Every structure is written in C-alpha cells, then in structure tokens.
Amino acid sequence: MREKTQILDGPGISRALTRIAHEVLERNKGTDGVVLVGLRSRGIELARRLSRNIKEIEGVEVPVGALDVTLYRDDLGKVGVQPVVRKTEIPFTVDQKKVVLVDDVLYTGRTIRAAMDSLMDLGRPRLIQLAVLVDRGHRELPVRADYVGKNVPTSQQEQVQVLLEEEDGVDRVVILEPEPSASARRAAEGQER
Amino acid sequence: MALKQKDLLTIRALPAEEITLILDTAESMKEIASRDIKKVPALRGKTVINLFYEASTRTRTSFEIAGKWLSADVINISTPASSVAKGESLLDTGRTLQAMHPDVVVIRHAAAGAPQILAEAMSASVINAGDGAHEHPTQALLDLFTIRERFGRLSGLKAAIVGDIAHSRVARSNLHGMRKVGMEVRLCAPATLLPRHAEALGAAVTTKMEEAIRDVDIIMMLRIQQERMESGLLPSLREYSRLFGLTVERLKRAKEGVLIMHPGPMNRGVEIAPEVADGPYSIILDQVTNGVAVRMALLFLLTGGQPAAAA
C-alpha cells in the first residue's frame, strides 16, 4: 500500500474534534450521564481528546473508558491469524449512561456491532451514540454515526489510515492505495512517453 | 498471533515468545471475571471436551469455567464413569471422540506421553492437563502469570521449588518455564525424592530447606503424598514436615517480600503450615483465580486462526 492523498492534517483533526465535542454537548444537552468509550487503540486516544475538549467548553470531566472488541468479532477463527486481545478498561458502570462510542474510522460497521454487543454485556446503557473521525462508506450492516469528523468516499481497495501523535508521532489522516502492479506501471510509463 | 502448534503438550516445547503471548492474552481474559455477565462470545459454537483419567478439582473446574465463559460447549468425561472402565483404550477413546468433532480435548492421564498419543490421533487441539510425572503445562503457565502479576516481571527472579520433585509434573513444567523466561530455580527435596542427575535439569539442587529458601523471591511448596511413605521413600510425614515443611519460623528466614505458592491441594501441617498457607505472603488462591484466565487464553489462542504451516 502507498499513500494516495492526505485528507486531514493536524489542525484539521483538531477542528473536527472541537466541533464534535460541541455537537455531543448540544445533542445531549450537557454532560449529565454522558460517558465516552473509545474502541481499540486509536479510538481511545480520540475519546480522551474529546473529553479534554468538553472539559474546556463546559468545565466538566466526562469519564473515558477503553473497549476491546476482539472477543466479540464476527470473524474469529476465519481470519488467518488470531488478533491480539487487549484489555477492556471501563472503570465505571454503563448502566443508565449515555455512552458515546468513539472510533477512528467507520467502514463496514462490524466493529461497532461488536462494540454494542460488548457494551450490552457490561450493563444497560440508556442510549448509545457513535462518534467517528472518518466515515469511509461501504457499510455492510445498518450502522450509522451520530457525529462524523469527515466523510471520505473511498474504493474497497483503498485503506484509510489515522495517525495520532500519541501512538504514531504525528496527527494526520491519509488514504492508502494498493501499489500498482508491474504491468499497470509499464502501461503508465508507456502513456507518459 | 496464534500458537504454532495445534496442541499444548509441554512447556519444554513452547517457545518463550508464545509463553509471553499466552500471559499477555490471559491479562485481557482476567478482566472478564470481574464483570456482572461473565460471558464473551469468542468461542461460541466450539466444543471442548475434558477427558480426565485422574481426579481433579482445580484443573478440571478451571477448564470448564474457562470454556463456558468463552461461550464454548464444555463436556466433562470422568473415566471411571465411562467406557474406559470397560477396558476401552486411549486411542479408541480418542477416535470415538474425534468422530464427534470436538475443537479441543483437555486430557489428564497417569501415563507420561498420553496427551501426545492423543494429539497425533486427533485433529482436535489437545491440551495436556497433567500426564503422569511428566508435565503440567497449564499449571506452570498460571504460576508464571501469577508471579509476573505480583512482581511486574519474570526475568531475574529466584524461585525455590520444595517437595517431591521426582514425582512432580508441576515441578518439571515450572522448571522448564521459569528457565525459559530467565528465572533462577532451586530445587529442594530429601535425596530419596530428587530425580537422579537432578543437576542436569538446569537448576541448583539442595537437600537443605534453609539453603533453598534463602534469598528467593518465590517459595513453591509441593504436596507430599501418602504413597511415598508406603513405598519407603519417606520414614514418616512427621519427619518430612520437620525437615522440609514451610513453617512460620522457617518463613522468617526468607527474604522480605517473598511470596508463597502451592499448586494445591495442600496437606495442611505437612508441607505447609496452615498459618503460612493462609497468611499474608501466600498467593495460593491467586493462582487458582489466574488459572481460569490462563486457560481461557489458551482455549482462545488454540481455536483461533490457522496454525502456521508445518516447516
């Protein structure tokens, strides 16, 4: 895979998260009962940033939890290699809470389905909303995000990669495309001449 | 990641990286025990058969709970109540079970090597839950997990294993496992209960309890069996207890921060004093709790994905 184009830079990510924080407060009429639950690694960092934004806007600290959905995936045993299970750390009850799930990229919707099943096993949320930094389309299940940083149309062969300072050293979102095959490259060269 | 072999038969054959993978996965599994709903769908539709030729409380219950928390279907076969009592062979039992397509078979057997025979005859994943005096790999894994949980690391720690080393599969598996992760091991037993050429096992060997427990981070006590007296290896349990029992007095001479382990079941007052077993340095019950997490990790890793192609 190689980089096709950058769709969000550092400031772009920051503005999107600021807007999403405002939208979460608007939709939920404040912070009462609201908790943020980030998915796997990058969703957790995004949830933390959202919590910080909300603190700046309303002065209230919204709790953040980390959810690992590996054990709820619908493709266990079917993928070639077993995914690594990380810890779920949600140090508060989700009963009666307005849970905002936070993830970096929304694609087929299967991860969110797994996340909801996992949340239901942990308690009975009052409602579940979904915030994603990027929605790349191609849903395979009836799942939709309540808060979207950016809508990015992509093809199935492409990948959307979110890089965050804490984990990757830089804040940016890029679209990756497959390396062209040798014959495609030759054809491209032929065209140039 | 997955484990390279389809079975878990010995610690001896388990690469150190896979030990780490199992322990890391077990950490994530442990969290499930604190939930209200102790169930995740990861092994839904998978079948686990516990085939126990020898008695067990901990290991069998642990595997049963581990499977059930992962949503697997768990079947327990206790051989005295099975056709084995009619004389059915191990291989026939294995073939019969394989015809019912289990995903995992957990076997405890009195004969060393029995799990391997089963593993070769079945396409299901076979887990050794103890084979004679040979190995008890899941015990060693949960022991390592418990040690790592308490000390935050494994490499560089010193452990003393005290008891009937010659007949102990727990001692053997732990010895292999501890050495692979960089721990130093001391074995202690009366000379009649030490294997011949014990030094070749790669551990320091002593027949003196005081020497064994000096400066170690972990003291692991093993159960002394009545049978050893009957076969003339021990004069009396009382004498064993006097020379090798872990008493409150002896414990005082051990290092500050030492932790006491025992695979269970314990002979209170023989190899370990009740005050020590129930005291603040004992992590014996932690071992049991962690056994479920480690076995969950194993079931998960063995049933997921495809094993790497044979070289």
Side-chain angles (χ1 to χ4, degrees), chain B residues 96-142:
Chain B
T96 303
L97 293 179
Q98 183 59 53
M100 295 190 245
H101 306 294
D103 298 280
V104 182
V105 175
V106 180
I107 174 172
R108 171 172 281 192
H109 198 282
Q116 174 145 3
I117 291 184
L118 209 63
E120 284 163 11
M122 297 181 78
S123 55
S125 290
V126 174
I127 298 181
N128 178 5
D131 60 335
H134 179 219
E135 284 230 26
H136 190 352
T138 61
Q139 181 70 41
L141 287 167
L142 74 90

Side-chain angles (χ1 to χ4, degrees), chain B residues 30 85 112 136 138 158 160-161 163 186 209 219 222 240 257 260 267 276 278 288 292 299:
Chain B
K30 190 165 175 176
H136 190 352
T138 61
K158 295 197 195 59
I161 307 180
R186 255 178 242 166
M209 186 61 167
I219 302 174
L222 302 176
Y240 176 83
I260 312 301
N267 288 327
V276 175
D278 302 329
V288 178
V292 179
L299 289 175

Side-chain angles (χ1 to χ4, degrees), chain B residues 40-47 70-73:
Chain B
V40 292
L43 258 64
R44 199 175 76 98
K46 303 278 190 211
T47 303
L70 291 169
S71 300
D73 292 317

Side-chain angles (χ1 to χ4, degrees), chain B residues 223-226 237 262 265-273:
Chain B
R223 187 172 71 95
I224 275 296
Q225 296 168 301
Q226 186 79 12
L237 287 184
H262 193 307
M266 294 184 279
N267 288 327
R268 288 164 173 270
V270 179
E271 70 264 4
I272 187 168

